[in-house]
């Protein structure tokens, strides 16, 4: 405790250098904290998004991500077969199609039409009501509602295409029953939801009964349900939320993890080097003073502890400052990265996790200790008489 | 105005060696190019015949002769997913994917790439197509696709990281220069006492700062050049792609130097300024 107070006094004697050292650690620490948040942030956010949808098994034709895999045939029959499995509460098939909404002035608004087969719905109603069984009814997301000032009960004219550009298909009038929130909708993405029959009618009355994926809610262990689906439909790939996360981790999102690892390493090395240099220069400037203290009776252990405490104070204060700074920086960087194409609006790149904070603190503690090793060694090996003599002569 | 080609990809859902009824079709099988990654994972060789199907269950499979392997154009949107792709002539693709009852020639295509004889005409051509062909949207190739957006966003992200790093480095640099200047307090005091004006000493310090900053910038660039290949090789191996992740161009190097040198020199002068304002006797502690 005495060593800490002594180190604090040493630092306050040189306020400019101590403040700059702490600010430097704060800036580096903020970057380090953000990189640790980034390394797991997307996965944590994606897990949260997947869990929030209420479906715990996703079925596609290949291990590719939904909408990039080939479509499955006989969607209705597939949903019925899965629905009959034990431990399955509900199953729905989703077919995605491009849609262009006409609105009188200017270019049509383009978006995605989700056609559903099954009893439950993947969206949450925010205003109005859910679909009834009429083929002309749809639900829309808030972005479309805001863009065209639509309310439940309004009618819209849209061109939908299951194969090519929506501009090539015929316009169809739909009635909006409700305004909903879709899971995984992209920022500024226009989305429409309806039954698969509605979608196929909009596509020109072509009954293909195809789906991009099937979502399943299980009552028991999702692994067992995924295995059971694989057994009845070996041509399909059923994945639990955990397995989907695994696919996501193997996909493009790993880029951010790699970037985070590289920047974490560089940041820690940078902090280590600079704190070590700061302490070493500081100790070298005070060699005479330290030798005098030793001559007055300060033990070797005590002067070494002083240096370690100085390091701990610089890194500790900087580290504390780095947390709010890091949080602000994370918000800024998250806003930048959310402009990436095809990123769901609710997905975040920087997500706070206690584990990240713990690792951040651990790395700072290790940095404070390792950075102080060399200056501690200088102080420990300081020859008292020779140093005092050279101080007097100089 | 010249119509060139349509880029289309067919996702392979089954790759098997031909047998039985398919054997007869293999003699006049259409040509196909296979991506290097697919060729490696499925052990496909040039000259071999493969069977491709548009359906997940392998129905309506047709044989194709592999006439070459290609390296897919790196796509940051698909980073991490191995590009298992083939390329074939558009009529061959349409023969495979045409819906039952659909007349040949009425199939939709994803896009048409156009190479103009004069690049300056691009904007006028885009305007012309959009005005004359309702239902078709033309846009400049350099503005098309999500990849541009991805690159722009990643560039902004990297700039933001660089800005924070420069800020942290500047703070540390100031702390270090303050300490180093303080170490030379007595030398500066003696120079003042023997009659050197403040401006003369400041110029000397500035020159020293410039030299040190230049040496640091050169060392930094050398380190960056040395690690460039290493980083690229690691990420290319990690993602099985030909994409370049780090590219140190002369323009970029110049930008780094133009930031590092003035920053280093400014930090030295700033740290020295407070010292030089003091009296010479105070500096030598007399």
């Amino acid at each position: 405790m005495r060593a800490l107070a002594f180190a604090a006094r040493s630092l306050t004697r040189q306020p400019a250098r101590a403040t700059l050292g702490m600010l430097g650690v704060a800036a580096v620490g903020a970057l380090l904290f953000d990189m640790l948040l980034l390394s797991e942030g997307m996965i944590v956010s994606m897990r949260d998004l997947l869990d929030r949808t209420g479906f715990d098994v996703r079925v596609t034709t290949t291990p590719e991500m939904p909408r990039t895999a080939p479509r499955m045939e006989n969607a209705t029959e597939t949903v019925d077969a899965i629905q009959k499995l034990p431990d399955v509460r509900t199953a729905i098939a989703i077919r995605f199609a491009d849609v262009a909404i006409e609105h009188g002035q200017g270019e049509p608004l383009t978006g995605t039409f989700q056609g559903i087969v099954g009893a439950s719905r993947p969206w949450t109603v925010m205003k109005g009501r859910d679909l009834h069984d009429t083929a002309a009814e749809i639900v829309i997301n808030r972005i479309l509602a805001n863009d065209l000032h639509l309310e439940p009960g309004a009618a819209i004219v849209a061109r939908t295409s299951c194969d090519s550009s929506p501009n090539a298909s015929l316009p169809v009038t739909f009635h909006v029953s409700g305004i909903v929130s879709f899971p995984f909708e992209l920022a500024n993405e226009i989305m429409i939801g309806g039954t698969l029959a509605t979608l196929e009618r909009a596509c020109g009355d072509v009954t293909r009964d195809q789906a991009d994926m099937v979502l399943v809610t299980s009552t028991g262990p999702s692994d067992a349900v995924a295995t059971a689906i694989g057994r009845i439909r070996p041509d399909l790939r059923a994945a639990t939320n955990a397995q989907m996360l695994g696919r996501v981790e193997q996909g493009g999102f790993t880029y951010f993890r790699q970037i985070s690892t590289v920047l974490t390493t560089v940041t820690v090395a940078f902090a280590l080097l600079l704190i070590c240099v700061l302490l070493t220069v500081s100790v070298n400037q005070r060699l005479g003073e330290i030798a005098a203290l030793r001559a007055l009776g300060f033990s070797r252990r005590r002067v070494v502890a002083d240096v370690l405490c100085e390091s701990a104070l610089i890194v500790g204060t900087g580290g504390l400052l780095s947390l709010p700074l890091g949080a602000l920086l994370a918000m800024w960087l998250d806003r930048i990265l959310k402009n990436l194409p095809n990123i769901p609006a609710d997905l975040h790149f920087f997500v706070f996790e206690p584990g990240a904070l713990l690792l951040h603190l651990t790395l700072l503690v290790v940095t404070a200790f390792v950075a102080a090793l060399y200056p501690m060694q200088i102080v420990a090996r300081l020859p008292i008489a020779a140093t005092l003599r050279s101080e007097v002569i100089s | 105005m010249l119509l060139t080609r349509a880029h289309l990809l067919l996702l392979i859902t089954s790759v098997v060696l031909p047998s039985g009824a398919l054997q007869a079709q293999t003699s006049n099988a259409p040509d196909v190019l296979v991506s290097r990654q697919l060729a490696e994972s499925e052990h496909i060789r040039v000259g071999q015949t493969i069977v491709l199907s548009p359906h997940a269950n392998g129905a309506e499979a047709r044989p194709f002769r592999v006439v070459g392997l290609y390296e897919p154009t790196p796509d940051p949107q698909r980073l991490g997913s191995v590009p298992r792709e083939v390329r074939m002539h558009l009529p061959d693709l349409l023969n495979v994917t045409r819906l039952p009852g659909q007349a040949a020639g009425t199939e939709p295509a994803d896009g048409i790439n156009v190479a103009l004889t004069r690049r300056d005409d691009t904007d006028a051509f885009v305007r012309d197509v959009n005005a004359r062909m309702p239902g078709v949207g033309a846009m400049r190739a350099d503005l098309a696709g999500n990849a541009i957006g991805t690159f722009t966003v990643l560039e902004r992200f990297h700039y933001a990281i660089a800005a924070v790093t420069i800020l942290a480095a500047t703070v540390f640099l100031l702390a270090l220069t303050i300490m180093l200047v303080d170490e030379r307090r007595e030398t500066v005091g003696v120079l003042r006492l023997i009659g050197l004006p403040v401006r003369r000493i400041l110029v000397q310090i500035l020159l020293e700062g410039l030299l040190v900053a230049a040496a640091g910038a050169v060392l930094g660039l050398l380190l960056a050049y040395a690690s460039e290949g290493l980083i690229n090789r690691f990420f290319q191996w990690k993602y099985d792609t030909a994409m370049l992740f780090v590219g140190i161009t002369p323009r970029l190097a110049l930008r780094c130097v133009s930031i590092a040198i003035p920053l280093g020199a400014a930090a030295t002068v700033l740290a020295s300024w407070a010292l030089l304002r003091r009296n010479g006797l105070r500096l030598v502690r007399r």
Side-chain angles (χ1 to χ4, degrees):
Chain A
M1 198 61 201
R2 265 192 255 165
L4 199 66
F6 194 81
R9 281 195 204 106
S10 296
L11 288 177
T12 46
R13 268 175 57 205
Q14 308 281 355
R17 68 173 71 164
T19 309
L20 286 171
M22 286 166 191
L23 286 177
V25 173
V28 171
L31 195 58
L32 173 67
F33 185 45
D34 284 357
M35 289 307 112
L36 294 172
L37 296 184
L38 179 65
S39 69
E40 287 294 325
M42 282 196 82
I43 297 303
V44 173
S45 185
M46 183 60 87
R47 185 184 300 130
D48 180 51
L49 269 179
L50 284 169
D51 291 343
R52 263 167 39 196
T53 60
F55 298 99
D56 50 6
V57 177
R58 279 160 176 77
V59 187
T60 47
T61 52
T62 67
E64 302 279 323
M65 298 300 285
R67 294 187 78 169
T68 55
R71 294 193 185 100
M72 66 182 80
E73 311 287 339
N74 307 318
T76 312
E77 189 187 305
T78 307
V79 167
D80 287 344
I82 293 172
Q83 186 78 61
K84 284 175 189 156
L85 287 171
D87 290 338
V88 170
R89 180 180 294 151
T90 183
I92 59 165
I94 303 181
R95 163 83 160 90
F96 297 100
D98 294 326
V99 68
I101 298 110
E102 296 183 350
H103 59 103
Q105 69 278 16
E107 287 287 303
L109 301 174
T110 54
T112 303
F113 194 139
Q114 289 193 15
I116 311 295
V117 176
S120 65
R121 300 285 179 250
W123 51 72
T124 311
V125 178
M126 313 294 283
K127 198 172 181 185
R129 60 168 175 78
D130 211 333
L131 299 173
H132 284 173
D133 279 339
T134 74
E137 269 192 357
I138 54 163
V139 289
I140 60 171
N141 70 346
R142 201 185 288 273
I143 293 157
L144 178 57
N146 290 344
D147 281 358
L148 298 185
H149 310 293
L150 298 173
E151 291 290 331
I156 60 166
V157 178
R159 295 168 187 267
T160 314
S161 178
C162 298
D163 295 307
S164 59
S165 160
N167 294 323
S169 56
L170 290 172
V172 175
T173 303
F174 298 103
H175 295 285
V176 177
S177 70
I179 297 166
V180 302
S181 162
F182 290 88
F184 296 101
E185 68 183 24
L186 311 181
N188 301 320
E189 187 187 28
I190 285 171
M191 281 202 131
I192 287 178
T195 61
L196 183 62
T198 307
L199 188 147
E200 290 188 332
R201 186 178 75 94
C203 283
D205 279 328
V206 184
T207 309
R208 289 188 202 139
D209 201 19
Q210 290 177 326
D212 286 279
M213 66 172 166
V214 173
L215 302 177
V216 181
T217 308
S218 54
T219 52
S222 51
D223 288 352
V225 170
T227 312
I229 292 169
R231 215 174 291 128
I232 59 160
R233 289 294 302 268
D235 57 319
L236 299 179
R237 301 283 182 277
T240 61
N241 284 355
Q243 288 163 338
M244 284 300 292
L245 274 177
R247 289 186 198 173
V248 168
E249 278 187 273
Q250 284 166 7
F253 293 164
T254 55
Y255 176 72
F256 292 104
R257 183 173 282 183
Q258 306 292 340
I259 280 282
S260 139
T261 310
V262 170
L263 284 176
T264 301
T265 315
V266 171
T267 310
V268 170
F270 184 62
L272 199 71
L273 190 72
L274 288 168
I275 296 163
C276 182
V277 172
L278 276 181
L279 286 173
T280 307
V281 175
S282 171
V283 161
N284 278 335
Q285 284 181 346
R286 292 186 291 133
L287 285 180
E289 184 186 309
I290 294 164
L293 289 172
R294 290 290 316 278
L296 283 171
F298 274 54
S299 68
R300 180 176 286 142
R301 184 176 290 184
R302 171 63 200 277
V303 287
V304 166
D306 284 343
V307 175
L308 184 61
C309 286
E310 269 187 50
S311 177
L313 279 174
I314 291 174
V315 176
T317 315
L320 279 178
L321 283 173
S322 75
L323 296 178
L325 266 180
L328 288 174
L329 183 63
M331 282 193 267
W332 179 43
L333 294 176
D334 197 59
R335 211 175 305 142
I336 291 173
L337 286 180
K338 282 190 78 169
N339 289 317
L340 280 169
N342 301 328
I343 294 294
D346 288 340
L347 189 80
H348 294 280
F349 290 81
F350 298 85
V351 179
F352 176 77
E353 264 211 308
L357 179 63
L358 196 69
L359 186 57
H360 176 63
L361 295 177
T362 311
L363 282 173
L364 287 181
V365 169
V366 172
T367 304
F369 181 75
V370 176
L373 279 178
Y374 179 63
M376 282 196 303
Q377 192 191 28
I378 295 175
V379 169
R381 291 183 179 173
L382 189 70
I384 300 170
T387 309
L388 285 174
R389 184 174 178 277
S390 94
E391 184 76 5
V392 170
I393 290 169
S394 70
Chain B
M1 186 170 69
L2 178 71
L3 281 171
T4 52
R5 57 184 176 160
H7 289 275
L8 288 160
L9 302 173
L10 174 67
L11 191 79
I12 290 188
T13 51
S14 66
V15 179
V16 291
L17 287 171
S19 62
L22 286 169
Q23 199 75 51
Q25 299 176 39
T26 54
S27 54
N28 52 1
D31 295 345
V32 74
L33 292 175
V34 175
S35 71
R36 174 186 57 79
Q37 291 84 349
L38 176 64
E40 283 173 4
S41 68
E42 302 298 327
H43 311 292
I44 296 170
R45 294 183 310 278
V46 175
Q48 209 175 7
T49 302
I50 60 170
V51 176
L52 303 175
S53 160
H55 301 289
N57 58 8
E60 297 172 40
R62 289 172 191 228
F64 287 85
R65 195 162 56 88
V66 179
V67 292
L69 308 181
Y70 72 95
E71 184 68 44
T73 308
D75 180 0
Q77 283 288 98
R78 303 184 65 194
L79 194 64
S81 63
V82 181
R84 282 187 279 266
E85 299 167 353
V86 295
R87 284 187 179 181
M88 62 181 73
H89 295 294
L90 184 57
D92 296 334
L93 175 69
L94 295 178
N95 284 339
V96 177
T97 57
R98 188 175 296 119
L99 295 168
Q102 188 165 30
T106 62
E107 308 89 343
D110 291 305
I112 298 170
N113 287 356
V114 181
L116 300 179
T117 46
R118 286 181 48 183
R119 281 198 165 196
D120 298 346
D121 292 342
T122 311
D123 290 328
F125 176 78
V126 166
R127 273 197 305 274
D128 254 13
V129 171
N130 287 332
R132 291 184 192 184
M133 301 178 73
V136 173
M139 61 162 47
R140 293 168 59 110
D142 56 351
L143 302 177
N146 284 334
I148 303 300
T150 308
F151 280 131
T152 312
V153 174
L154 286 180
E155 192 180 24
R156 268 185 228 145
F157 175 67
H158 291 154
Y159 274 137
I161 300 272
V164 178
T165 312
I166 290 173
L167 181 77
T170 309
V171 173
F172 270 123
L173 196 64
L174 263 177
L176 276 176
T177 45
I178 282 177
M179 292 168 91
L180 293 173
V181 165
D182 202 39
E183 212 168 35
R184 297 172 62 188
R185 173 200 291 257
E186 289 185 12
T187 316
V188 172
V190 170
L191 289 175
R192 291 284 309 278
L193 288 176
I194 61 172
L196 260 72
V198 171
R199 184 175 289 182
R200 166 73 178 72
I201 302 169
L202 206 60
V203 168
Q204 187 184 327
I205 289 170
L206 176 67
L207 286 174
E208 273 183 31
L210 279 172
L211 280 173
V212 172
V218 170
L219 271 176
L221 281 179
L222 287 176
L223 189 68
Y225 274 118
S227 56
E228 180 188 13
L230 208 68
I231 293 171
N232 278 331
R233 267 198 293 279
F234 172 75
F235 282 111
Q236 282 169 353
W237 163 77
K238 178 83 188 164
Y239 297 115
D240 198 5
T241 175
M243 192 182 291
L244 279 178
F245 290 81
V246 178
I248 300 163
T249 58
R251 198 165 142 256
L252 193 69
L254 195 68
R255 196 188 296 175
C256 289
V257 171
S258 64
I259 292 172
I261 295 180
L263 205 66
T268 316
V269 173
L270 198 69
S272 313
W273 183 241
L275 196 70
L276 287 169
R277 284 170 63 195
R278 291 184 199 166
N279 184 283
L281 283 173
R282 273 190 67 197
L283 290 173
V284 291
R285 291 170 184 159
R286 295 288 187 273

